[in-house]
Amino acid sequence: MHTMNTYNLLDILSDKNVLCVEDEAIILCNIMESLELFFGKVVGVKDGREALQQALGNIYDVLMLDVSIPHMDGLEVVKKIRQVNKKIPIIILSAHTEQEYLWRAVELKITRYLTKPYDKNTLIKALEDVALELVDHQPVISIMPECVYDYCRKTITLHQNTLHLSKSESRLLE
């Protein structure tokens, strides 16, 4: 297994959809701008009810939620989503560091719990965890002896020959 650099790992997100939930317009705008650098599609909503409707009515690959949002708190939204989707990677954003919130988040199988304000590196590290979760922690998969597929680079290597797949070829293979 060869090691991957950060950028390759984050390439996994380039065709993925993310739902971002934050009730403060300026913060939502900033988060969405950051996420647009990595994801194919970013949708932002401002409250728990809207978040739940969006998450259950559309196909998202990743969720990013603030805890303190109107109508239903972020962890309550996650709890309802987990009833129908156990695997979707979820990042929680919160100004709360109280243990009560942390324990609730742990029980809901959260990928990352980021405390606000967070910096760029913390976000990138969280997105790397999400990317690994999306490929089930196996960025390189052996298809048959001497033939491997690399999720991040979208390449197939057979007997030292490397072939770069197009977006549709890699999607079909995955």
Side-chain angles (χ1 to χ4, degrees), residues 67 75 92 94 96-110 112-115:
V67 173
L75 293 175
I92 289 289
S94 181
H96 296 288
T97 50
E98 291 93 27
Q99 286 204 315
E100 172 211 340
Y101 287 99
L102 296 169
W103 283 121
R104 281 174 66 201
V106 167
E107 286 169 8
L108 295 168
K109 199 181 103 33
I110 302 298
R112 262 308 172 85
Y113 191 103
L114 301 185
T115 350

Side-chain angles (χ1 to χ4, degrees), residues 64-82:
M64 188 168 193
L65 300 99
D66 185 14
V67 173
S68 308
I69 48 176
H71 303 309
M72 187 187 303
D73 90 16
L75 293 175
E76 201 50 45
V77 173
V78 172
K79 194 172 165 184
K80 291 187 182 334
I81 290 165
R82 281 284 179 244

Side-chain angles (χ1 to χ4, degrees), residues 62-160:
V62 180
L63 303 177
M64 188 168 193
L65 300 99
D66 185 14
V67 173
S68 308
I69 48 176
H71 303 309
M72 187 187 303
D73 90 16
L75 293 175
E76 201 50 45
V77 173
V78 172
K79 194 172 165 184
K80 291 187 182 334
I81 290 165
R82 281 284 179 244
Q83 291 168 359
V84 293
N85 187 334
K86 305 261 184 269
K87 286 188 76 97
I88 189 167
I90 298 174
I91 297 174
I92 289 289
L93 289 172
S94 181
H96 296 288
T97 50
E98 291 93 27
Q99 286 204 315
E100 172 211 340
Y101 287 99
L102 296 169
W103 283 121
R104 281 174 66 201
V106 167
E107 286 169 8
L108 295 168
K109 199 181 103 33
I110 302 298
T111 306
R112 262 308 172 85
Y113 191 103
L114 301 185
T115 350
K116 292 192 222 170
Y118 59 89
D119 61 26
K120 195 183 93 188
N121 293 341
T122 313
L123 177 63
I124 285 178
K125 187 75 199 82
L127 293 178
E128 286 175 10
D129 288 351
V130 161
L132 279 171
E133 213 165 290
L134 286 170
V135 296
D136 221 9
H137 298 280
Q138 296 177 356
V140 178
I141 294 194
S142 179
I143 297 171
M144 53 194 241
E146 313 207 20
C147 180
V148 294
Y149 175 63
D150 186 321
Y151 265 106
C152 306
R153 294 191 178 86
K154 306 293 183 210
T155 59
I156 287 188
T157 307
L158 177 63
H159 305 296
Q160 278 80 52

